[in-house]
Amino acid sequence: MTKRVAVIGAGSSGLTSIKCCLDEGLEPVCFESSDDIGGLWKFKEQPEEDRCSIYRSVVVNTSKEMMCYSDFPMPDHFPNFVNNSTLMQYFRLYAEHFNLLKHIHFQTTVRSVRQRPDFSNSGQWEVVTMGRDGREETHVFDGVLVCSGHYTKPIKPLSDFPGIDTFPGTIIHSWEYRDPDPYIGKRVVVLGIGNSGGDIAVELSRACEKTFLSTRKGAWIIGRVVDRGLPLDMIMMTRVRDLIYGLLPQALLNMIWERILNQRYDHKLYGLQPGYRILEQRVVINDDLPGRILLGELVIKSNVQKIQGSTIVFDDGTVEEKIDAVILCTGYDYRFPFLPTSLSSGSNGDLKLYRRIFPPSLERPTLAILGLFQTKGSIMPAVELQARWATRVIAGLNQLPPAEKMDKAIEKDVQANLKSFPCPKLAALQVDYIPYLDAIAKEVGVSPNIASLLLTDPALGLRVFFGPCSPYQFRLNGPGHWSGARQAILTQWDRVAKPMKTRPIPEHPSFSLFFWLGLSGGAALIIALLAMHMVPLFLNSD
């Protein structure tokens, strides 16, 4: 009898989870509380409670070749870094191609997920949903995949800013921010220098009278593109680089990378230099922030010490007056109120998850939480691998280790991250990108055998090892093998170039001819001059 699996959410995690269920012979039933797919990436004019939210101008920080699903490349004409509407087009193409929409129940909210009385034997779950008409229904499922995202609960640390209750202006979280129109001509303070804080501050600096970006620690800033204008992640996220980084001392790597970034713009001079080394925490990806500082439209400030009406005093003693608005870019917490409280470990709702997927406390591994992690690479390929593994576990094709072993692995991961992320809850979320992908791929049985590839298919093997660690690598063999994976890897740089070839570039064949003639003539001249000087030496050698 086919096992039925509840998929909660139809965003980037939910869509691939539906497909993975179908690949493993499971019957997915997806519940989506909104009226469309896309989750976080679906822009709405007004934020909705308990749902992810984005601003109008958001653009992804990972390139299309590194963030696509492993058996469905983005169209070659798509830009290398897509905005939210283009990414929504991709999701629709993916859903239509694999016929996923028929498995989704829109405007249906999951109210509770509870183990059935016979859970220890059946592993089944009782899921209560509320439809668009307000009626509740109870369903029984053999498995549950939680794909509802974790950018739903904005953190608003108002108590950290004494006197904030005296502020007469507007105070919002980035979760509520949509565009700069309400702030035209105003003086705005943005609190927090993460990716959202940097983006919003840059956008506001083009509309406001003055924009201030307040940060506790500073940040290392890098753009989306690197040498020759190529995508940052395609150059950086490679297996050979990961291997080299594992062999070299971190202190040396920190010194090299900090020197490289400071050659582009001196982080200390720009007021950006953080108190931590570059490899200890995630960098901020922003193409425009240094330029806005250089123009004086964006001013970097230290942490807010106190607020006195519309005057803000910063830790360094500087004061800014007549502030009209404060935007909190202070991050998010995660909550899954529909899950059993027994899955949480601690008063703050921490979730202990093996490989950031499975709660080890369950007697039967029939529930998985997808996308609840943070990494320096793209989220989507990692989530897809999570879904491939989780569906195989629910289908009974893969087994998990004993609970004790999973607990030890979780504790080891947390301890390894505590130096860079002192908060245990935050430390638990961090994963190292390529090693994490490979660890999950090994469980699924889809790890690329690089040694074998180098011997049997050198053209492919060299690209897998030295080139970008793109998602297609995990479709070369094993369960879910895709016959187009090899070609997708061989042509990935062609898809990078395609959207930028928007005008014909004239060729100058004569240039190379004159170049080589000039080079040859110059070489001949140098040889002749040397000969003129060498002849007397030979003649006088006696």
Side-chain angles (χ1 to χ4, degrees):
M1 187 174 178
T2 303
K3 290 184 176 181
R4 298 175 73 241
V5 177
V7 178
I8 303 174
S12 59
S13 302
L15 290 175
T16 193
S17 293
I18 296 170
K19 179 185 178 294
C20 291
C21 283
L22 296 172
D23 289 345
E24 300 301 340
L26 303 171
E27 180 186 341
V29 180
C30 179
F31 301 111
E32 168 57 44
S33 59
S34 74
D35 58 359
D36 200 358
I37 62 174
L40 166 67
W41 298 103
K42 175 67 174 178
F43 173 77
K44 293 196 172 184
E45 293 291 344
Q46 295 295 327
E48 298 176 358
E49 195 70 25
D50 295 325
R51 289 189 57 80
C52 301
S53 175
I54 58 171
Y55 40 97
R56 191 186 307 276
S57 62
V58 72
V59 175
V60 300
N61 287 328
T62 52
S63 64
K64 65 177 181 180
E65 289 299 301
M66 299 295 281
M67 72 176 298
C68 64
Y69 296 120
S70 60
D71 54 357
F72 196 73
M74 287 197 189
D76 58 3
H77 66 276
F78 274 24
N80 283 285
F81 291 92
V82 300
N83 59 22
N84 61 291
S85 60
T86 305
L87 186 55
M88 285 295 296
Q89 291 180 43
Y90 174 68
F91 288 146
R92 292 191 175 97
L93 290 172
Y94 180 79
E96 291 167 7
H97 181 77
F98 293 109
N99 199 19
L100 306 180
L101 294 176
K102 67 179 183 180
H103 301 282
I104 304 173
H105 297 259
F106 291 106
Q107 294 183 323
T108 304
T109 302
V110 172
R111 304 300 299 271
S112 69
V113 176
R114 297 291 182 267
Q115 295 144 293
R116 299 199 76 202
D118 64 344
F119 180 81
S120 58
N121 293 320
S122 67
Q124 290 183 327
W125 297 86
E126 191 173 89
V127 177
V128 177
T129 62
M130 184 177 69
R132 66 189 72 188
D133 56 2
R135 290 191 305 174
E136 288 192 351
E137 288 188 57
T138 301
H139 317 259
V140 175
F141 289 100
D142 301 291
V144 175
L145 299 175
V146 180
C147 308
S148 53
H150 65 282
Y151 295 109
T152 56
K153 293 292 181 182
I155 297 174
K156 298 181 179 180
L158 301 181
S159 61
D160 290 354
F161 308 107
I164 199 167
D165 55 321
T166 69
F167 183 67
T170 304
I171 301 174
I172 67 167
H173 191 276
S174 58
W175 179 80
E176 303 166 77
Y177 176 81
R178 286 298 176 269
D179 55 52
D181 291 354
Y183 307 97
I184 293 175
K186 295 185 177 181
R187 292 167 60 83
V188 179
V189 173
V190 178
L191 301 181
I193 197 174
N195 286 324
S196 294
D199 284 347
I200 291 172
V202 164
E203 184 169 76
L204 287 173
S205 72
R206 295 189 173 99
C208 294
E209 176 189 322
K210 186 67 74 172
T211 304
F212 304 95
L213 178 54
S214 170
T215 171
R216 290 178 184 271
K217 300 178 181 178
W220 294 102
I221 311 294
I222 191 168
R224 289 181 176 85
V225 295
V226 288
D227 298 340
R228 294 183 296 142
L230 298 175
L232 168 71
D233 52 0
M234 293 188 73
I235 299 299
M236 296 300 300
M237 296 295 179
T238 67
R239 294 180 178 279
V240 65
R241 188 181 293 269
D242 218 49
L243 177 62
I244 293 171
Y245 278 22
L247 298 174
L248 295 177
Q250 185 160 329
L252 175 62
L253 293 171
N254 279 322
M255 182 181 70
I256 292 171
W257 268 108
E258 288 169 14
R259 180 177 176 82
I260 290 172
L261 292 192
N262 279 326
Q263 283 179 336
R264 294 178 182 173
Y265 39 84
D266 188 326
H267 280 61
K268 186 176 182 180
L269 175 65
Y270 278 65
L272 294 166
Q273 183 166 308
Y276 55 85
R277 306 304 300 273
I278 189 169
L279 297 180
E280 291 178 354
Q281 296 187 26
R282 288 176 296 165
V283 297
V284 171
I285 299 177
N286 195 294
D287 299 304
D288 303 320
L289 193 145
R292 303 308 296 171
I293 296 173
L294 196 63
L295 293 174
E297 303 293 342
L298 177 59
V299 179
I300 301 297
K301 306 294 288 187
S302 60
N303 190 48
V304 171
Q305 183 186 96
K306 60 181 177 179
I307 298 175
Q308 298 171 324
S310 60
T311 298
I312 295 184
V313 181
F314 297 90
D315 280 347
D316 59 2
T318 59
V319 177
E320 296 297 340
E321 300 177 337
K322 298 180 180 179
I323 299 301
D324 299 294
V326 172
I327 299 179
L328 303 172
C329 298
T330 43
Y332 295 83
D333 197 2
Y334 63 83
R335 288 286 187 275
F336 302 100
F338 50 84
L339 290 180
T341 55
S342 59
L343 296 183
S344 301
S345 57
S347 58
N348 58 355
D350 290 10
L351 280 172
K352 286 179 61 176
L353 299 174
Y354 177 61
R355 304 283 196 191
R356 300 307 312 154
I357 305 172
F358 298 102
S361 58
L362 290 177
E363 296 173 88
R364 301 289 298 273
T366 54
L367 180 141
I369 298 176
L370 307 185
L372 187 56
F373 61 90
Q374 294 180 345
T375 184
K376 293 178 181 178
S378 177
I379 297 293
M380 283 170 54
V383 166
E384 183 186 30
L385 277 170
Q386 287 185 331
R388 293 173 72 180
W389 186 24
T391 51
R392 289 182 63 79
V393 169
I394 292 173
L397 301 172
N398 286 71
Q399 304 297 318
L400 297 183
E404 299 80 12
K405 189 173 181 180
M406 290 192 282
D407 284 330
K408 288 180 180 178
I410 294 169
E411 184 61 25
K412 181 180 178 182
D413 291 340
V414 172
Q415 292 300 319
N417 292 326
L418 279 176
K419 180 181 177 182
S420 298
F421 301 90
C423 170
K425 187 173 183 178
L426 190 58
L429 294 176
Q430 311 306 313
V431 298
D432 197 2
Y433 189 62
I434 294 179
Y436 184 72
L437 293 180
D438 283 342
I440 305 300
K442 184 178 179 182
E443 298 287 353
V444 181
V446 295
S447 297
N449 189 329
I450 298 173
S452 176
L453 288 175
L454 289 171
L455 291 173
T456 60
D457 192 345
L460 179 62
L462 289 170
R463 285 170 172 81
V464 169
F465 184 61
F466 290 100
C469 185
S470 46
Y472 322 118
Q473 294 189 8
F474 303 103
R475 290 286 179 177
L476 290 170
N477 55 64
H481 164 74
W482 175 45
S483 59
R486 181 182 187 276
Q487 185 64 15
I489 293 172
L490 297 180
T491 57
Q492 56 194 352
W493 286 109
D494 296 334
R495 288 187 295 279
V496 171
K498 173 71 174 180
M500 295 187 286
K501 292 183 176 181
T502 55
R503 61 175 282 262
I505 304 298
E507 298 290 342
H508 296 288
S510 57
F511 169 79
S512 58
L513 175 61
F514 286 125
F515 174 79
W516 288 113
L517 286 175
L519 184 62
S520 301
L525 179 61
I526 292 171
I527 293 171
L529 291 172
L530 286 173
M532 290 172 63
H533 286 83
M534 292 296 289
V535 168
L537 292 176
F538 283 116
L539 292 176
N540 297 326
S541 60
D542 292 334

